[in-house]
């Protein structure tokens, strides 16, 4: 993914965070890869560490080539609540 992003912004001045986000979001490939990008401006503490147990609990599936670098995260399916209509 990063190689396609860098090809897309090659030669363009990265003058602001918004320009970077817009260029990342405009990245596509011939095979249909689209990148969704959004600038999240929240405050996040530094130094937060993930324990081995927390990492092991994530639904990660390693790819055949270098699974320690290349993996897929499969988020759980959302739970839908059924609300019964009342008369």
């Amino acid at each position: 993914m990063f190689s396609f992003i860098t090809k897309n912004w090659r030669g363009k001045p990265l003058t602001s965070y918004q320009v970077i986000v817009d260029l990342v979001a405009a990245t596509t490939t011939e095979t249909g890869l689209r990148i969704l990008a959004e600038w999240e401006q929240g405050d996040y503490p530094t130094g937060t560490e993930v324990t081995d147990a927390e990492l092991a609990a994530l639904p990660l599936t390693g790819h055949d080539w270098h699974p320690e670098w290349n993996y897929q995260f499969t988020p759980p399916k959302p739970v839908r609540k059924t609300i019964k209509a009342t008369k």
Side-chain angles (χ1 to χ4, degrees):
M1 173 171 63
F2 189 71
S3 65
F4 295 105
I5 294 169
T6 55
K7 284 179 188 178
N8 190 45
W9 70 24
R10 179 178 42 213
K12 297 183 176 99
L14 306 177
T15 56
S16 69
Y17 287 119
Q18 192 60 57
V19 167
I20 293 169
V21 170
D22 291 344
L23 289 168
V24 169
T27 302
T28 60
T29 68
E30 291 178 9
T31 59
L33 171 73
R34 288 185 7 205
I35 297 174
L36 303 176
E38 186 176 306
W39 183 14
E40 172 59 58
Q41 299 182 45
D43 292 323
Y44 299 95
T46 59
T48 302
E49 295 187 14
V50 177
T51 66
D52 290 339
E54 289 171 323
L55 187 58
L58 292 175
L60 300 177
T61 304
H63 294 192
D64 293 337
W65 191 76
H66 280 289
E68 70 278 12
W69 298 339
N70 302 293
Y71 50 86
Q72 178 176 334
F73 175 77
T74 307
K77 294 183 182 193
V79 176
R80 292 186 176 187
K81 294 183 178 182
T82 304
I83 300 173
K84 294 184 180 183
T86 58
K87 293 184 181 181

